[in-house]
Short mmCIF file of all heavy atoms in Angstrom, two decimals:
data_model
loop_
_atom_site.label_atom_id
_atom_site.label_comp_id
_atom_site.label_asym_id
_atom_site.label_seq_id
_atom_site.Cartn_x
_atom_site.Cartn_y
_atom_site.Cartn_z
N HIS A 556 -71.10 -6.21 -189.53
CA HIS A 556 -71.72 -4.85 -189.72
C HIS A 556 -73.27 -5.02 -189.57
O HIS A 556 -73.99 -4.20 -189.11
CB HIS A 556 -71.36 -4.06 -190.80
CG HIS A 556 -69.91 -3.57 -190.78
ND1 HIS A 556 -69.57 -2.46 -189.99
CD2 HIS A 556 -68.78 -4.06 -191.27
CE1 HIS A 556 -68.22 -2.18 -190.05
NE2 HIS A 556 -67.79 -3.12 -190.89
N LYS A 563 -77.94 -2.11 -182.71
CA LYS A 563 -78.27 -0.68 -182.48
C LYS A 563 -79.78 -0.50 -182.56
O LYS A 563 -80.37 0.28 -181.76
CB LYS A 563 -77.49 0.22 -183.58
CG LYS A 563 -76.08 0.29 -183.26
CD LYS A 563 -75.47 1.18 -184.32
CE LYS A 563 -73.87 1.31 -184.16
NZ LYS A 563 -73.34 2.22 -185.15
N LEU A 599 -69.79 -8.42 -179.14
CA LEU A 599 -70.19 -7.55 -180.25
C LEU A 599 -70.28 -6.00 -179.85
O LEU A 599 -69.87 -5.25 -180.64
CB LEU A 599 -71.63 -8.02 -180.63
CG LEU A 599 -72.50 -7.13 -181.69
CD1 LEU A 599 -71.74 -6.94 -183.00
CD2 LEU A 599 -73.85 -7.73 -181.82
N VAL A 600 -70.70 -5.73 -178.64
CA VAL A 600 -70.72 -4.39 -178.25
C VAL A 600 -69.33 -3.83 -178.32
O VAL A 600 -69.12 -2.67 -178.70
CB VAL A 600 -71.34 -4.23 -176.77
CG1 VAL A 600 -71.11 -2.89 -176.21
CG2 VAL A 600 -72.83 -4.57 -176.75
N GLU A 601 -68.36 -4.53 -177.77
CA GLU A 601 -66.97 -4.08 -177.79
C GLU A 601 -66.52 -3.86 -179.13
O GLU A 601 -65.91 -2.88 -179.52
CB GLU A 601 -65.95 -5.05 -177.03
CG GLU A 601 -64.65 -4.68 -176.91
CD GLU A 601 -63.83 -5.60 -176.13
OE1 GLU A 601 -64.24 -6.34 -175.27
OE2 GLU A 601 -62.56 -5.53 -176.36
N TRP A 602 -66.80 -4.72 -180.05
CA TRP A 602 -66.41 -4.73 -181.45
C TRP A 602 -66.97 -3.28 -182.17
O TRP A 602 -66.33 -2.64 -182.90
CB TRP A 602 -66.85 -5.88 -182.25
CG TRP A 602 -66.34 -5.85 -183.68
CD1 TRP A 602 -65.16 -6.14 -184.16
CD2 TRP A 602 -67.15 -5.43 -184.80
NE1 TRP A 602 -65.00 -5.88 -185.51
CE2 TRP A 602 -66.26 -5.45 -185.96
CE3 TRP A 602 -68.41 -4.98 -185.01
CZ2 TRP A 602 -66.76 -5.14 -187.22
CZ3 TRP A 602 -68.81 -4.53 -186.28
CH2 TRP A 602 -68.01 -4.74 -187.36
N VAL A 603 -68.21 -3.17 -181.90
CA VAL A 603 -68.97 -1.91 -182.38
C VAL A 603 -68.17 -0.71 -181.87
O VAL A 603 -67.96 0.24 -182.73
CB VAL A 603 -70.45 -1.92 -182.09
CG1 VAL A 603 -71.01 -0.46 -182.34
CG2 VAL A 603 -71.20 -3.02 -182.55
N CYS A 604 -67.98 -0.62 -180.62
CA CYS A 604 -67.24 0.54 -180.04
C CYS A 604 -65.84 0.72 -180.67
O CYS A 604 -65.42 1.90 -181.07
CB CYS A 604 -67.07 0.38 -178.62
SG CYS A 604 -68.64 0.52 -177.64
N LEU A 605 -65.07 -0.28 -180.86
CA LEU A 605 -63.75 -0.34 -181.45
C LEU A 605 -63.88 0.15 -182.88
O LEU A 605 -63.05 0.97 -183.35
CB LEU A 605 -63.06 -1.56 -181.36
CG LEU A 605 -62.53 -1.99 -179.91
CD1 LEU A 605 -62.03 -3.42 -179.91
CD2 LEU A 605 -61.51 -1.00 -179.42
N GLU A 606 -64.91 -0.45 -183.65
CA GLU A 606 -65.01 -0.04 -185.06
C GLU A 606 -65.21 1.45 -185.17
O GLU A 606 -64.68 2.11 -186.18
CB GLU A 606 -66.04 -0.99 -185.71
CG GLU A 606 -65.59 -2.34 -186.11
CD GLU A 606 -64.49 -2.32 -187.24
OE1 GLU A 606 -64.69 -1.77 -188.34
OE2 GLU A 606 -63.33 -2.71 -186.81
N GLU A 607 -66.21 1.94 -184.39
CA GLU A 607 -66.53 3.38 -184.44
C GLU A 607 -65.32 4.21 -184.16
O GLU A 607 -65.04 5.25 -184.87
CB GLU A 607 -67.65 3.73 -183.50
CG GLU A 607 -69.06 2.93 -183.76
CD GLU A 607 -69.70 3.46 -185.04
OE1 GLU A 607 -69.55 4.65 -185.46
OE2 GLU A 607 -70.46 2.83 -185.62
N SER A 608 -64.53 3.81 -183.20
CA SER A 608 -63.32 4.51 -182.84
C SER A 608 -62.37 4.60 -184.03
O SER A 608 -61.66 5.62 -184.36
CB SER A 608 -62.76 4.06 -181.50
OG SER A 608 -63.58 4.09 -180.45
N ARG A 609 -62.14 3.37 -184.47
CA ARG A 609 -61.10 3.27 -185.62
C ARG A 609 -61.54 4.01 -186.81
O ARG A 609 -60.71 4.73 -187.44
CB ARG A 609 -61.05 1.82 -186.00
CG ARG A 609 -60.14 0.84 -185.13
CD ARG A 609 -59.99 -0.51 -185.76
NE ARG A 609 -59.47 -1.33 -184.66
CZ ARG A 609 -60.11 -2.37 -184.10
NH1 ARG A 609 -61.43 -2.72 -184.69
NH2 ARG A 609 -59.59 -3.11 -183.16
N GLY A 610 -62.84 3.99 -187.17
CA GLY A 610 -63.29 4.73 -188.14
C GLY A 610 -63.08 6.37 -188.04
O GLY A 610 -62.78 7.02 -188.91
N ALA A 611 -63.38 6.71 -186.84
CA ALA A 611 -63.18 8.17 -186.49
C ALA A 611 -61.78 8.60 -186.54
O ALA A 611 -61.51 9.71 -186.96
CB ALA A 611 -63.82 8.53 -185.20
N LEU A 612 -60.89 7.73 -186.12
CA LEU A 612 -59.45 8.07 -186.10
C LEU A 612 -58.68 7.73 -187.39
O LEU A 612 -57.55 8.14 -187.54
CB LEU A 612 -58.81 7.34 -184.83
CG LEU A 612 -59.12 7.88 -183.50
CD1 LEU A 612 -58.42 7.04 -182.55
CD2 LEU A 612 -58.70 9.20 -183.37
N GLN A 613 -59.27 7.07 -188.25
CA GLN A 613 -58.63 6.69 -189.56
C GLN A 613 -57.98 7.85 -190.28
O GLN A 613 -58.50 8.82 -190.49
CB GLN A 613 -59.54 5.95 -190.47
CG GLN A 613 -58.88 5.21 -191.52
CD GLN A 613 -59.93 4.42 -192.45
OE1 GLN A 613 -61.00 4.61 -192.24
NE2 GLN A 613 -59.33 3.56 -193.26
N GLY A 614 -56.68 7.72 -190.32
CA GLY A 614 -55.79 8.76 -191.01
C GLY A 614 -55.71 9.96 -190.21
O GLY A 614 -55.19 11.00 -190.59
N LYS A 615 -56.09 9.93 -188.89
CA LYS A 615 -55.94 11.20 -188.04
C LYS A 615 -55.04 11.03 -186.80
O LYS A 615 -55.34 11.37 -185.74
CB LYS A 615 -57.36 11.62 -187.51
CG LYS A 615 -58.35 11.78 -188.68
CD LYS A 615 -58.19 12.96 -189.45
CE LYS A 615 -59.33 13.18 -190.37
NZ LYS A 615 -59.40 12.35 -191.59
N LYS A 616 -53.95 10.26 -186.98
CA LYS A 616 -53.10 9.95 -185.79
C LYS A 616 -51.83 10.76 -185.82
O LYS A 616 -50.88 10.45 -185.04
CB LYS A 616 -52.75 8.43 -185.86
CG LYS A 616 -54.09 7.62 -185.68
CD LYS A 616 -53.71 6.15 -185.55
CE LYS A 616 -54.91 5.43 -185.39
NZ LYS A 616 -54.66 3.94 -185.31
N THR A 620 -53.01 16.23 -187.21
CA THR A 620 -54.40 15.82 -187.49
C THR A 620 -55.09 15.26 -186.23
O THR A 620 -56.35 14.88 -186.22
CB THR A 620 -54.53 14.80 -188.62
OG1 THR A 620 -53.79 13.60 -188.21
CG2 THR A 620 -53.94 15.32 -189.91
N TRP A 621 -54.41 15.17 -185.08
CA TRP A 621 -55.06 14.48 -183.85
C TRP A 621 -56.32 15.15 -183.46
O TRP A 621 -57.16 14.56 -182.97
CB TRP A 621 -54.00 14.26 -182.76
CG TRP A 621 -53.55 15.66 -182.08
CD1 TRP A 621 -52.47 16.33 -182.43
CD2 TRP A 621 -54.26 16.19 -180.93
NE1 TRP A 621 -52.55 17.39 -181.63
CE2 TRP A 621 -53.51 17.36 -180.66
CE3 TRP A 621 -55.37 15.89 -180.18
CZ2 TRP A 621 -53.93 18.12 -179.62
CZ3 TRP A 621 -55.76 16.78 -179.18
CH2 TRP A 621 -55.01 17.88 -178.92
N GLU A 623 -58.44 16.89 -185.24
CA GLU A 623 -59.57 16.54 -186.06
C GLU A 623 -60.01 15.05 -185.69
O GLU A 623 -61.21 14.89 -185.73
CB GLU A 623 -59.05 16.57 -187.55
CG GLU A 623 -60.21 16.32 -188.55
CD GLU A 623 -59.69 16.55 -190.06
OE1 GLU A 623 -58.67 17.22 -190.21
OE2 GLU A 623 -60.33 15.77 -190.79
N GLY A 624 -59.11 14.18 -185.43
CA GLY A 624 -59.54 12.89 -184.99
C GLY A 624 -60.33 12.70 -183.78
O GLY A 624 -61.28 12.14 -183.61
N LEU A 625 -59.89 13.61 -182.75
CA LEU A 625 -60.60 13.69 -181.51
C LEU A 625 -61.99 14.29 -181.67
O LEU A 625 -62.99 13.76 -181.20
CB LEU A 625 -59.84 14.54 -180.52
CG LEU A 625 -60.35 14.70 -179.09
CD1 LEU A 625 -60.45 13.29 -178.48
CD2 LEU A 625 -59.50 15.63 -178.31
N LEU A 626 -62.03 15.24 -182.53
CA LEU A 626 -63.45 15.82 -182.86
C LEU A 626 -64.28 14.80 -183.49
O LEU A 626 -65.47 14.71 -183.21
CB LEU A 626 -63.26 17.10 -183.89
CG LEU A 626 -64.59 17.80 -184.19
CD1 LEU A 626 -65.34 18.21 -183.15
CD2 LEU A 626 -64.23 18.91 -185.27
N GLN A 627 -63.82 14.03 -184.42
CA GLN A 627 -64.55 13.00 -185.17
C GLN A 627 -64.97 11.94 -184.15
O GLN A 627 -66.12 11.36 -184.24
CB GLN A 627 -63.72 12.29 -186.28
CG GLN A 627 -63.67 13.28 -187.39
CD GLN A 627 -63.00 12.70 -188.67
OE1 GLN A 627 -61.80 13.02 -188.90
NE2 GLN A 627 -63.54 11.77 -189.22
N ILE A 628 -64.19 11.62 -183.04
CA ILE A 628 -64.62 10.59 -182.06
C ILE A 628 -65.81 11.24 -181.33
O ILE A 628 -66.75 10.49 -181.12
CB ILE A 628 -63.42 10.31 -181.06
CG1 ILE A 628 -62.50 9.32 -181.77
CG2 ILE A 628 -64.04 9.66 -179.82
CD1 ILE A 628 -61.37 8.77 -180.91
N PHE A 629 -65.72 12.51 -180.94
CA PHE A 629 -66.94 13.04 -180.21
C PHE A 629 -68.15 13.15 -181.19
O PHE A 629 -69.26 12.96 -180.64
CB PHE A 629 -66.60 14.52 -179.83
CG PHE A 629 -65.64 14.62 -178.62
CD1 PHE A 629 -64.47 15.40 -178.75
CD2 PHE A 629 -65.83 13.85 -177.45
CE1 PHE A 629 -63.63 15.44 -177.63
CE2 PHE A 629 -65.01 13.84 -176.45
CZ PHE A 629 -63.85 14.63 -176.43
N GLU A 630 -67.93 13.41 -182.49
CA GLU A 630 -69.09 13.33 -183.37
C GLU A 630 -69.61 11.89 -183.52
O GLU A 630 -70.86 11.67 -183.44
CB GLU A 630 -68.69 13.81 -184.82
CG GLU A 630 -68.39 15.36 -184.76
CD GLU A 630 -67.75 15.87 -186.15
OE1 GLU A 630 -67.46 14.92 -186.99
OE2 GLU A 630 -67.64 16.99 -186.17
N ALA A 631 -68.81 10.89 -183.55
CA ALA A 631 -69.16 9.56 -183.58
C ALA A 631 -69.93 9.05 -182.24
O ALA A 631 -71.00 8.46 -182.33
CB ALA A 631 -68.10 8.46 -183.73
N VAL A 632 -69.55 9.57 -181.15
CA VAL A 632 -70.16 9.35 -179.87
C VAL A 632 -71.56 9.96 -179.95
O VAL A 632 -72.66 9.43 -179.52
CB VAL A 632 -69.40 9.82 -178.56
CG1 VAL A 632 -70.25 9.92 -177.42
CG2 VAL A 632 -68.14 9.04 -178.45
N TYR A 633 -71.68 11.21 -180.43
CA TYR A 633 -72.97 11.94 -180.42
C TYR A 633 -73.98 11.19 -181.41
O TYR A 633 -75.10 11.07 -181.10
CB TYR A 633 -72.69 13.43 -180.98
CG TYR A 633 -73.95 14.19 -181.01
CD1 TYR A 633 -74.58 14.67 -179.78
CD2 TYR A 633 -74.70 14.48 -182.12
CE1 TYR A 633 -75.76 15.36 -179.76
CE2 TYR A 633 -75.83 15.15 -182.14
CZ TYR A 633 -76.38 15.59 -180.98
OH TYR A 633 -77.55 16.35 -180.98
N GLU A 634 -73.42 10.75 -182.53
CA GLU A 634 -74.26 10.02 -183.54
C GLU A 634 -74.76 8.77 -182.96
O GLU A 634 -75.91 8.25 -183.30
CB GLU A 634 -73.49 9.80 -184.83
CG GLU A 634 -73.22 11.07 -185.60
CD GLU A 634 -72.19 10.70 -186.78
OE1 GLU A 634 -71.89 9.65 -187.11
OE2 GLU A 634 -71.77 11.77 -187.39
N ASN A 635 -73.95 8.23 -182.11
CA ASN A 635 -74.37 6.90 -181.50
C ASN A 635 -74.86 6.95 -180.05
O ASN A 635 -74.75 5.94 -179.27
CB ASN A 635 -73.13 5.86 -181.67
CG ASN A 635 -72.86 5.51 -183.05
OD1 ASN A 635 -73.72 4.72 -183.62
ND2 ASN A 635 -71.73 5.93 -183.44
N PHE A 638 -77.10 4.20 -178.44
CA PHE A 638 -76.40 3.00 -178.37
C PHE A 638 -75.47 3.05 -177.02
O PHE A 638 -75.49 2.15 -176.23
CB PHE A 638 -75.51 2.63 -179.55
CG PHE A 638 -74.55 1.51 -179.45
CD1 PHE A 638 -75.04 0.21 -179.58
CD2 PHE A 638 -73.26 1.83 -179.20
CE1 PHE A 638 -74.15 -0.79 -179.36
CE2 PHE A 638 -72.30 0.71 -179.16
CZ PHE A 638 -72.81 -0.51 -179.21
N ILE A 639 -74.69 4.09 -177.01
CA ILE A 639 -73.76 4.33 -175.97
C ILE A 639 -74.37 4.39 -174.64
O ILE A 639 -74.04 3.75 -173.54
CB ILE A 639 -72.87 5.50 -176.18
CG1 ILE A 639 -71.92 5.14 -177.38
CG2 ILE A 639 -72.05 5.79 -175.00
CD1 ILE A 639 -71.14 6.35 -177.94
N ILE A 651 -66.51 -0.82 -168.11
CA ILE A 651 -66.39 0.30 -169.00
C ILE A 651 -65.02 0.94 -168.97
O ILE A 651 -64.41 1.24 -169.95
CB ILE A 651 -67.53 1.33 -168.74
CG1 ILE A 651 -68.84 0.78 -169.04
CG2 ILE A 651 -67.27 2.70 -169.42
CD1 ILE A 651 -70.02 1.45 -168.62
N PHE A 654 -62.39 -1.07 -170.69
CA PHE A 654 -62.55 -0.94 -172.08
C PHE A 654 -62.02 0.42 -172.61
O PHE A 654 -61.15 0.53 -173.50
CB PHE A 654 -63.96 -1.01 -172.52
CG PHE A 654 -64.19 -0.73 -174.01
CD1 PHE A 654 -63.77 -1.64 -174.95
CD2 PHE A 654 -64.80 0.47 -174.43
CE1 PHE A 654 -63.92 -1.24 -176.38
CE2 PHE A 654 -64.90 0.79 -175.73
CZ PHE A 654 -64.50 -0.10 -176.63
N LEU A 655 -62.31 1.45 -171.86
CA LEU A 655 -61.78 2.79 -172.17
C LEU A 655 -60.30 2.93 -172.11
O LEU A 655 -59.65 3.62 -172.92
CB LEU A 655 -62.60 3.90 -171.38
CG LEU A 655 -64.02 4.10 -171.64
CD1 LEU A 655 -64.60 5.12 -170.64
CD2 LEU A 655 -64.17 4.54 -173.16
N PHE A 656 -59.75 2.27 -171.12
CA PHE A 656 -58.25 2.38 -170.96
C PHE A 656 -57.55 1.66 -172.06
O PHE A 656 -56.42 1.92 -172.26
CB PHE A 656 -57.85 1.99 -169.50
CG PHE A 656 -58.17 3.12 -168.49
CD1 PHE A 656 -58.96 2.82 -167.44
CD2 PHE A 656 -57.45 4.31 -168.66
CE1 PHE A 656 -59.26 3.87 -166.44
CE2 PHE A 656 -57.79 5.30 -167.63
CZ PHE A 656 -58.67 5.08 -166.61
N GLN A 657 -58.19 0.66 -172.63
CA GLN A 657 -57.47 -0.09 -173.71
C GLN A 657 -57.21 0.88 -174.88
O GLN A 657 -56.42 0.76 -175.55
CB GLN A 657 -58.38 -1.32 -174.13
CG GLN A 657 -58.33 -2.33 -173.11
CD GLN A 657 -59.15 -3.57 -173.58
OE1 GLN A 657 -59.64 -3.71 -174.80
NE2 GLN A 657 -59.49 -4.33 -172.74
#
Side-chain angles (χ1 to χ4, degrees):
H556 288 283
K563 288 179 182 182
L599 171 58
V600 169
E601 183 175 337
W602 183 82
V603 170
C604 292
L605 288 172
E606 279 298 296
E607 296 288 334
S608 299
R609 283 186 195 116
L612 285 176
Q613 192 171 12
K615 307 288 189 289
K616 295 182 181 181
T620 61
W621 72 269
E623 187 177 331
L625 187 60
L626 178 60
Q627 285 183 256
I628 285 184
F629 287 130
E630 289 171 353
V632 167
Y633 184 74
E634 289 171 9
N635 290 292
F638 171 78
I639 292 169
I651 295 168
F654 173 73
L655 291 174
F656 282 119
Q657 287 179 12

